[in-house]
Amino acid sequence: MEQSTQQAQQLDHLASAPVASPFAAFGMSGLGGPPPVAPPEPRPILELDGEEREDELDALTDWVDDFLLAVYGAEVTTAAPWCLRWQEHDDVVAWLHALWLAYQQHKDPEAGLSGLFVWHRDFLTHAIAAIRAPGGPLSACMTSPERPAHRLLPGPAPSARTEKSTAKATGPAERAEPTS
């Protein structure tokens, strides 16, 4: 009789305890269980505003200054220019932010042992070549460490479509009356 009572208590205890999913090791929730919480989606830095953008730019700057340039900075030359004020070049910020996000993803243990190799091959080499190209976004900036320079080159003019939509928004231009 005592053994039956102990078994009943044990069954009650097991019935009330949360059951781990047999699929938990595979990152899958059990049947009827809550779905796993997805991490927040990363957003490109140029889509961020205000304090959120400033915080992301500060973190990016720390990574660029403390890691990227220290390891992969190489020499500044006319063939590989750099800018000490790179944060003012939106296109460079966008490239470096994407490179940083890819670095974070590929250094994660889930990326496997070849994760950082893939980052080097598929991301680092291409991004640095584009950013530091002789005709790239930093080409008007520092090409020699002895001559620090910073200059934003003008971008292309707006397209004809943009100009037309701006003209429609401001209203049609008044026609001059003929004077004859």
Side-chain angles (χ1 to χ4, degrees), residues 5-46:
T5 305
Q6 286 176 346
Q7 287 176 345
Q9 289 173 345
Q10 191 174 21
L11 287 172
D12 288 342
H13 174 72
L14 290 174
S16 65
V19 178
S21 168
F23 305 109
F26 302 106
M28 300 168 57
S29 62
L31 298 174
V37 177
E41 290 291 322
R43 291 179 40 211
I45 195 166
L46 299 182

Side-chain angles (χ1 to χ4, degrees), residues 53-119:
R53 182 173 176 157
E54 288 301 316
D55 291 345
E56 192 75 359
L57 187 58
D58 286 345
L60 174 62
T61 299
D62 289 344
W63 180 76
V64 169
D65 292 345
D66 298 340
F67 173 72
L68 187 69
L69 290 179
V71 177
Y72 304 101
E75 185 178 2
V76 175
T77 65
T78 54
W82 185 248
C83 184
L84 297 175
R85 294 166 47 187
W86 61 266
Q87 297 93 337
E88 296 176 27
H89 298 266
D90 282 343
D91 47 354
V92 173
V93 169
W95 271 103
L96 291 173
H97 188 251
L99 184 62
W100 180 45
L101 293 176
Y103 174 77
Q104 292 176 65
Q105 177 185 357
H106 285 82
K107 76 174 187 149
D108 188 277
E110 289 184 12
L113 296 175
S114 63
L116 286 175
F117 176 81
V118 171
W119 178 76

